[in-house]
Amino acid sequence: MPLFDVYPLYNVTPVSGKGIHVYDDQGTEYLDLYGGHAVISIGHAHPNYVEAVTKQVETLGFYSNAIQNPLQKQLANKLEQLSGCKDYQLFLVNSGAEANENALKLASFKTGKSRVIAFKNGFHGRTSAAVAATDNPNVVAPLNAQQKVTFLELNDVEGVKRELEKGDVCAVIVEFIQGVGGLDQGTTEFFEQVDALCKANNTMFIADEIQCGYARSGKFFAFQHYNVTPDIISLAKGMGNGFPIGGIFIHPDIEAKYGMLGTTFGGNHLACAAGLSVLNTIESENLLDNVNNIGAYFVEKAKAIPQIKQIKGRGLMLGLEFDFEVGDLRKDLIYNYKIFTGGAANKKLLRILPPLNIEKQHIDQFFEALTKALVKIEATV
């Protein structure tokens, strides 16, 4: 049976990974500066992660949410401790799309309203309501387009105010650093006024932290760079270092009722063990400090390269914008310099999302390769 052909694939077959590197079926080593869409947060095959997952699968990998699971409470307590988000409630799921789907559903339950405000170039997932709130018509089927979503420009405070005052908006959902869209960010004034407008209009403010959260921005959550209090916070990607897990933080003002949300696999024993190992490693290895230090080092190195027109993002969620499309540059980096990088909806942007324990030597390796690759590109123009 053939695979459903929806992914354009590089001709590379990774079979193992260790730390910041992956290795293909020929034994070739690659520097991983993309982490599989920011999923690999503490490095490939981190010993803490391997030990935790191995021990858990040897005892109990799964049972349903119909029974007590103390690992869920341990994970919730550790998340509260490290994130600083006191008194929120946690609902666990399997992926970022499922996190946003439940966030939007919960906002509609709470407010009794159904329209959503999202923003241009935003990406929130591929399930029904989440994909409807994603600004990409190529991934929105007619079935999804039945959802009531209004797209506004980032920083359009007046537009948000106008739409909220119509009285039918259940949620405003925003990435504090856009991922797939290309590392764009709203202003401090914009985020803080939107937060206030939501609270004044019985609308849930949803912080989509699926890619920009989990220490990647230099704070545990990217919204913490601003004076805002989201009603719901969605998280996933870096949460399990490759094991499927996601969740939403839910403000204490939102009351739980039996049956309003549910999941078969969400919060299973193995997922919680993986999630706890990631949090324990972020804490024990001081990875937030590393994100800020290495991120600053990366930016300084990038400033020395004249072909880079703009540096976007924060921490270790970074983008390098050029005045040409970067598709061929990415191919050159992976095939000739053995370095994984990422693209974006902005075709001129190179996306950098490495494991959070990356070191300066790896940044030096990247910029040495990038400089050589740019010389080749200029020679062909």
Side-chain angles (χ1 to χ4, degrees), residues 52-87:
V53 171
T54 300
K55 284 185 175 179
Q56 188 59 48
V57 80
E58 287 176 344
T59 53
L60 180 64
F62 172 82
Y63 206 80
S64 79
N65 283 305
I67 47 80
Q68 298 289 324
N69 182 352
L71 288 171
Q72 292 185 357
K73 294 181 179 179
Q74 291 177 37
L75 181 59
N77 291 339
K78 197 70 180 180
L79 277 166
E80 182 178 61
Q81 176 198 337
L82 294 192
S83 71
C85 294
K86 303 296 184 185
D87 300 322

Side-chain angles (χ1 to χ4, degrees), residues 222-241:
F223 79 79
Q224 291 169 327
H225 292 279
Y226 310 95
N227 183 25
V228 299
T229 305
D231 298 287
I232 307 172
I233 306 159
S234 56
L235 53 157
K237 292 193 185 297
M239 194 175 179
N241 203 51

Side-chain angles (χ1 to χ4, degrees), residues 36-42 49 52-53 56 61-62 65 69-79 90-100 102 208-211 213-214 220-221 233-249 263-279 282:
H37 313 303
V39 166
I40 302 300
S41 49
I42 59 171
Y49 176 79
V53 171
Q56 188 59 48
F62 172 82
N65 283 305
N69 182 352
L71 288 171
Q72 292 185 357
K73 294 181 179 179
Q74 291 177 37
L75 181 59
N77 291 339
K78 197 70 180 180
L79 277 166
L90 176 66
F91 179 70
L92 290 165
V93 292
N94 309 287
S95 67
E98 193 180 345
N100 279 335
N102 281 280
D208 181 342
E209 294 278 348
I210 286 162
Q211 188 170 124
Y214 245 75
F220 195 89
F221 286 128
I233 306 159
S234 56
L235 53 157
K237 292 193 185 297
M239 194 175 179
N241 203 51
F243 195 94
I245 182 173
I248 50 176
F249 284 14
T263 170
T264 296
F265 295 104
N268 68 74
H269 296 73
L270 195 51
C272 288
L276 279 164
S277 74
V278 170
L279 291 173
I282 288 173

